Amino acid sequence: MENPYLSIVIPAYNEASRQGKGIREHMKEIKAYFEGKNISYEVVVVNDGSKDDTSEVVKSFMADFSDFNFIDRKENKGKLFSVQEGLLKAKGKFRLFTDADGATPIETLDNFWGHLEAGEHVIIGSRDLQQSKIEKHQPKVKELLGNMGNLLIQFTLDLRGIEDTQCGFKVLSQEVVEKIIPQMKAIRWGGDFEILALAKKMGYKIIEVPVTWIDSGQSTVGIKGYIQTLKELFQVKWRMVTGQYQCRNNKQ
Ligand SMILES: Nc1nc2c(ncn2[C@@H]2O[C@H](COP(=O)(O)OP(=O)(O)O)[C@@H](O)[C@H]2O)c(=O)[nH]1
Ligand SMILES: [Mg+2]
């Protein structure tokens, strides 16, 4: 089979037990969205060692797609580890990663296609632009922690102006995947800013695109997640300043 235009990588952890909109609805929406569109795509779901029936649930809709890959790992390693695995398994010219619960609906891609066609390399969803549509907000404390965390991230990793590094809806070109993703080490939640920091250092333009966000009201990320993210932030910074990444600026 020819390589698809777009790969859709979905990390999944205990998604079978999520209340409300979840992976089943999200997969239906993906299928419906591409119906009638002349765009080749594949789906890559990575089960991150779920303790519930996520594996069975994913298997139940595999047959609905002509190009579906399932990495069914037994051990929990982290969201961004799963994203890394999925992005490297994927074959698309462009590769999207998005959350299993579909908090950012797949139709949001409507805002992305133009940038893909223009040959951009790093196009990321943002919940903090003027045109972003937050239909259901995250709990207030999460939003506040998110905004404070964002300032710290912008400042620490020289990502000034990027208002939302953590939105789980990002498209990378094949070139960026090949150069950056094998180097990722922040495998829990820090991988998002690790990717962006490397991309910036290599001279890639980072394009922020407004997204719609409908918070599922249920999160698998708790306070431990925030502490982990902070730790990963300083680890990424450390690897940066001690020259542990290969990030030659190829745009100069
Ligand atoms: N909490 C958690 N989520 C994971 C893990 N691995 C993958 N994920 C996925 O990460 C995504 C974001 O999780 P979610 O609970 O929606 O978090 P939130 O919406 O950012 O608060 C979902 O697709 C999860 O299935 C993991 O180890 N822990
Ligand atoms: Mg969510």
Side-chain angles (χ1 to χ4, degrees):
M1 217 184 308
E2 219 179 289
N3 286 350
Y5 185 67
L6 185 74
S7 304
I8 302 171
V9 173
I10 302 177
Y13 178 65
N14 290 349
E15 288 295 336
S17 346
R18 192 187 281 276
Q19 309 288 315
K21 182 182 166 183
I23 193 164
R24 299 174 188 83
E25 292 75 19
H26 192 196
M27 296 312 300
K28 284 202 187 103
E29 288 174 7
I30 290 175
K31 195 169 158 55
Y33 178 74
F34 283 95
E35 248 149 22
K37 277 196 181 53
N38 197 11
I39 298 168
S40 60
Y41 74 102
E42 66 172 343
V43 178
V44 182
V45 174
V46 184
N47 179 12
D48 192 16
S50 299
K51 296 185 190 67
D52 65 2
D53 292 337
T54 298
S55 177
E56 285 64 41
V57 170
V58 173
K59 283 178 190 147
S60 74
F61 51 62
M62 275 174 89
D64 295 342
F65 296 86
S66 58
D67 197 350
F68 195 102
N69 297 281
F70 185 29
I71 301 174
D72 196 7
R73 188 167 16 78
K74 297 287 170 265
E75 197 188 337
N76 178 255
K77 296 263 182 114
K79 176 186 171 187
L80 270 294
F81 183 93
S82 310
V83 166
Q84 178 183 43
E85 220 178 10
L87 286 172
L88 292 175
K89 167 99 183 166
K91 305 172 294 302
K93 186 167 186 299
F94 292 96
R95 301 178 196 175
L96 163 73
F97 61 90
T98 178
D99 288 349
D101 60 1
T104 297
I106 195 74
E107 298 88 60
T108 309
L109 275 176
D110 288 348
N111 303 341
F112 281 65
W113 296 122
H115 296 293
L116 271 62
E117 285 303 296
E120 297 296 347
H121 289 276
V122 184
I123 311 127
I124 66 170
S126 174
R127 296 162 289 189
D128 289 304
L129 299 177
Q130 229 160 34
Q131 304 101 302
S132 309
K133 247 178 49 204
I134 311 301
E135 290 190 7
K136 251 190 96 200
H137 281 261
Q138 293 182 302
K140 270 272 167 297
V141 292
K142 275 198 88 166
E143 270 190 357
L144 190 69
L145 278 171
N147 290 338
M148 276 165 35
N150 173 261
L151 287 178
L152 188 64
I153 292 164
Q154 286 195 41
F155 178 76
T156 310
L157 295 180
D158 190 26
L159 289 171
R160 252 149 300 204
I162 304 206
E163 304 288 340
D164 187 5
T165 59
Q166 298 310 101
C167 179
F169 197 94
K170 293 184 168 69
V171 176
L172 305 173
S173 68
Q174 178 177 355
E175 179 183 309
V176 162
V177 168
E178 284 166 3
K179 287 193 176 151
I180 293 180
I181 300 307
Q183 304 197 52
M184 276 175 70
K185 292 217 173 66
I187 56 173
R188 284 280 160 198
W189 307 103
D192 288 86
F193 49 68
E194 187 177 40
I195 294 170
L196 298 180
L198 285 171
K200 171 103 190 272
K201 201 121 196 255
M202 289 181 183
Y204 289 105
K205 183 162 70 173
I206 298 170
I207 301 191
E208 278 198 283
V209 173
V211 299
T212 306
W213 182 270
I214 310 165
D215 200 63
S216 66
Q218 245 211 348
S219 176
T220 54
V221 192
I223 187 74
K224 243 175 77 188
Y226 285 90
I227 295 167
Q228 180 69 31
T229 310
L230 203 60
K231 190 170 140 205
E232 287 185 331
L233 177 61
F234 293 112
Q235 288 172 334
V236 170
K237 177 71 178 176
W238 178 251
R239 287 194 287 272
M240 279 279 180
V241 297
T242 52
Q244 294 183 49
Y245 294 112
Q246 277 193 310
C247 43
R248 202 159 50 90
N249 187 332
N250 46 17
K251 304 275 155 179
Q252 276 171 355

